[in-house]
Amino acid sequence: MRRGFMVSIGDILKGRHVGETVELRGWIYRTRTVGGKAFVVVRDSTGIIQATISKDAVPPEAFAAAEKALIESAVEVKGTVTKDKRAPGGYELRATDLRVVHFAEKFPIQEDPSEEFLLDVRHLWVRSQRMTAIFRIRHTAFAAVHEYFRGQGFWEVHPPMITSAGSEGGTTLFELEYFGRKAHLTQSWQLYAEALVLAMERIYYIGPSFRAEKSRTTRHLTEYWHAEMEQAWAGMDEVIKHAEGVISHACQRVAEERPEDVVALGRTPEFLKAVKPPFERLTYDEALKQLKAKGVDLEWGKDLRTLEERALTEGTTKPIVVTHYPRVTQAFYKARDPKHPDLVLAFDVIGGDGVGEIVGGSERETDLETIQKGLKEQGEDPKAYDWYLDSRRYGSVQHAGFGMGMERLIQWICKLDHIRDAVPFPRTPARFAP
RNA sequence: GCCGUCGUAGCUCAGUCUGGUAGAGCCCCCGGCUGUUAACCGGGUGGUCUCCGGUUCGAAUCCGGACGACGGCGCCA
């Protein structure tokens, strides 16, 4: 088959090549044959289109190949782009030639697959329209986060993935053997960020975090991508504004650049465009009052759980910000509220649709002795954190920061039932393959 | 960590209560059909009933155990 003018399916669907003779290549999505005609629906990374192959319009071997090729066979098709109401999508390619690059074996995924089976064949399911739409949005969201922080004067710096200690207590760390000694996979850049922030002042990074928590929920992964920022000479209010800013910026970019994908997943670009600062903000105490009014009682000092988060975000179209949590249950590095010693200057950004906490952040404790005391209260040995504590010995200044779960953000933007679809190959307690 | 559900053909499931030769639809293969839209019509191939043990003349089915997965809660981003 002689090479023609190669085009993408997406371009054809935009009406760019009507009447032209072009060539496209991709994978067979469906085939139907009716007597002397074969309808071969082809997908590439930009869309799907029907190629109509008439027995009398192509070489005999091409028609035979079209009839024989199974779903997901790789093909090259040459033909004339035609606008036709009978074709799904409104455009089709009237083929003059077809070559099968690879005859696929019987493709295991058919109609009505179970969730469990799709996870077993995830390496094949990633070819689906739904998955590729999410991947494109993920691409855009990641770019937007980089764009936001760089635009705000933050340096991208990289912490290690292999660490000696954790930041949230040692029980949720994956352990690994490091030349005969114990090491761990990072669960947060927290300790390193607080060392680096005294050098670079405004820093951020996006990278993987690992949590060895056997969480069986629709919003937990054991390996997830963490967008984290840390800022010197800044308090809680300033970093809350950055949290609102970065979430909003990601929503704007996705709405502008991926409107078709957004619609395909059940959101609208308008919904995302409306996600602009400021978000509704309330303190933990105010949240308890709101919950009580809704008939949900929560004892003071308990963290907000799924039930409470859902009640608080019910009917919201933007995430909400909850601030000033009780000090009990909070990590040792979070700063006390000078006005209320029982509270810490910590905040969460909570998304609706059951996604829950998208961002968690705080102002950091600057006083050496207070941190050492906090570590002991959590059952940690301050000696193991000695290098970290140097950040409170040599020029300790006010600083604050937050971590954002990229998959949580994508889950919320794409309105996904389960966080595992926000990443191509999810890692959960039950699965690390494929 | 706790609670619940499930495991039968490549896929989706019925059959299990009440033990007696392993079933359907889809996929695939063969045949038909010149505009199909998850095409349709006719025929055919396809099984370690998750595994181990027990009861029984006989177990997919009853009993005991193991393993695996999914869903919910907790923990978190």
Side-chain angles (χ1 to χ4, degrees):
Chain A
M1 186 166 125
R2 286 179 61 184
R3 268 287 143 75
F5 173 44
M6 194 68 73
V7 299
S8 74
I9 292 170
D11 275 355
I12 296 176
L13 296 176
K14 285 173 187 155
R16 284 193 191 153
H17 299 290
V18 177
E20 292 173 26
T21 297
V22 302
E23 186 178 344
L24 57 83
R25 53 189 172 190
W27 293 262
I28 294 180
Y29 186 71
R30 293 254 183 285
T31 58
R32 300 177 277 271
T33 60
V34 182
K37 273 194 176 138
F39 299 94
V40 178
V41 183
V42 180
R43 68 160 181 89
D44 68 9
S45 62
T46 64
I48 62 175
I49 193 169
Q50 168 172 291
T52 306
I53 294 118
S54 292
K55 202 168 191 170
D56 49 17
V58 299
E61 65 274 15
F63 189 78
E67 279 196 311
K68 190 182 150 207
L70 303 183
I71 286 172
E72 288 304 320
S73 292
V75 293
E76 293 177 337
V77 196
K78 198 195 275 186
T80 309
V81 176
T82 311
K83 201 167 181 177
D84 193 319
K85 273 185 244 167
R86 296 172 296 182
Y91 294 92
E92 66 178 20
L93 190 70
R94 301 269 168 85
T96 53
D97 204 356
L98 174 143
R99 186 171 85 87
V100 177
V101 178
H102 179 252
F103 285 96
E105 295 178 26
K106 199 162 93 178
F107 200 62
I109 301 175
Q110 294 153 28
E111 62 193 75
D112 245 354
S114 64
E115 278 295 312
E116 187 180 337
F117 180 66
L118 289 180
L119 290 169
D120 289 340
V121 293
R122 186 72 173 191
H123 54 294
L124 301 174
W125 183 234
V126 294
R127 303 182 184 194
S128 66
Q129 301 292 300
R130 177 180 165 79
M131 283 294 124
T132 53
I134 296 167
F135 300 158
R136 284 187 291 267
I137 289 175
R138 182 182 169 100
H139 161 93
T140 300
F142 269 68
V145 172
H146 282 291
E147 194 175 53
Y148 176 83
F149 283 119
R150 287 168 178 245
Q152 293 287 326
F154 283 75
W155 295 99
E156 180 178 358
V157 292
H158 301 108
M161 301 295 110
I162 299 171
T163 69
S164 52
S167 64
E168 317 276 345
T171 55
T172 63
L173 291 162
F174 281 110
E175 197 174 292
L176 63 98
E177 199 252 28
Y178 193 79
F179 302 117
R181 289 186 291 169
K182 266 190 214 169
H184 302 93
L185 291 176
T186 183
Q187 61 177 187
S188 163
W189 81 335
Q190 191 59 42
L191 305 183
Y192 302 95
E194 292 191 57
L196 286 163
V197 77
L198 300 181
M200 304 295 280
E201 301 191 55
R202 293 160 83 93
I203 56 174
Y204 86 100
Y205 120 109
I206 311 178
S209 272
F210 305 89
R211 300 277 166 105
E213 298 160 354
K214 286 192 176 172
S215 304
R216 283 210 57 86
T217 76
T218 56
R219 54 196 184 285
H220 284 88
L221 296 167
T222 54
E223 174 186 299
Y224 67 97
W225 284 73
H226 212 166
E228 302 185 271
M229 65 83 77
E230 198 76 28
Q231 185 175 0
W233 315 104
M236 179 168 73
D237 284 343
E238 282 167 273
V239 297
I240 287 177
K241 283 184 183 128
H242 284 306
E244 291 170 327
V246 71
I247 289 171
S248 172
H249 187 67
C251 289
Q252 303 306 315
R253 276 284 181 263
V254 170
E256 289 159 15
E257 295 175 19
R258 311 252 82 84
E260 302 91 353
D261 290 332
V262 168
V263 170
L265 292 166
R267 282 270 192 239
T268 63
E270 292 68 37
F271 176 92
L272 295 177
K273 279 179 190 157
V275 180
K276 286 192 172 147
F279 299 168
E280 186 196 340
R281 204 186 282 198
L282 64 168
T283 66
Y284 174 83
D285 284 350
E286 287 163 351
L288 286 200
K289 273 182 211 155
Q290 260 196 32
L291 286 168
K292 195 156 195 178
K294 291 184 185 189
V296 181
D297 270 312
L298 185 70
E299 191 190 330
W300 194 93
K302 301 279 181 190
D303 213 348
L304 301 177
R305 299 168 305 172
T306 309
L307 176 77
E308 289 85 20
E309 287 180 349
R310 287 198 179 160
L312 284 173
T313 55
E314 204 182 355
T316 60
T317 55
K318 293 197 287 189
I320 63 168
V321 183
V322 179
T323 65
H324 299 87
Y325 282 89
R327 197 172 72 85
V328 282
T329 78
Q330 295 284 330
F332 64 88
Y333 54 82
K334 300 191 179 178
R336 289 161 305 166
D337 182 350
K339 294 175 204 151
H340 304 277
D342 291 343
L343 303 178
V344 286
L345 297 174
F347 70 98
D348 287 340
V349 180
I350 300 169
D353 296 308
V355 173
E357 195 178 328
I358 295 172
V359 166
S362 73
E363 189 167 325
R364 318 305 189 187
E365 180 58 53
T366 53
D367 180 64
L368 178 63
E369 280 179 26
T370 307
I371 289 222
Q372 285 171 325
K373 207 174 141 211
L375 274 169
K376 281 180 198 152
E377 279 170 14
Q378 285 184 21
E380 297 284 330
D381 178 5
K383 276 184 196 144
Y385 291 80
D386 203 49
W387 69 264
Y388 165 72
L389 296 172
D390 276 357
S391 61
R392 272 65 171 178
R393 292 189 180 105
Y394 306 102
S396 186
V397 300
Q398 184 193 39
H399 62 291
F402 65 77
M404 174 165 72
M406 287 302 291
E407 285 79 11
R408 294 250 177 108
L409 176 67
I410 291 159
Q411 182 184 8
W412 185 75
I413 288 175
C414 297
K415 208 176 177 182
L416 306 178
D417 292 336
H418 203 297
I419 195 170
R420 64 184 163 221
D421 286 343
V423 61
F425 294 98
R427 294 295 178 248
T428 58
R431 280 182 192 271
F432 56 99

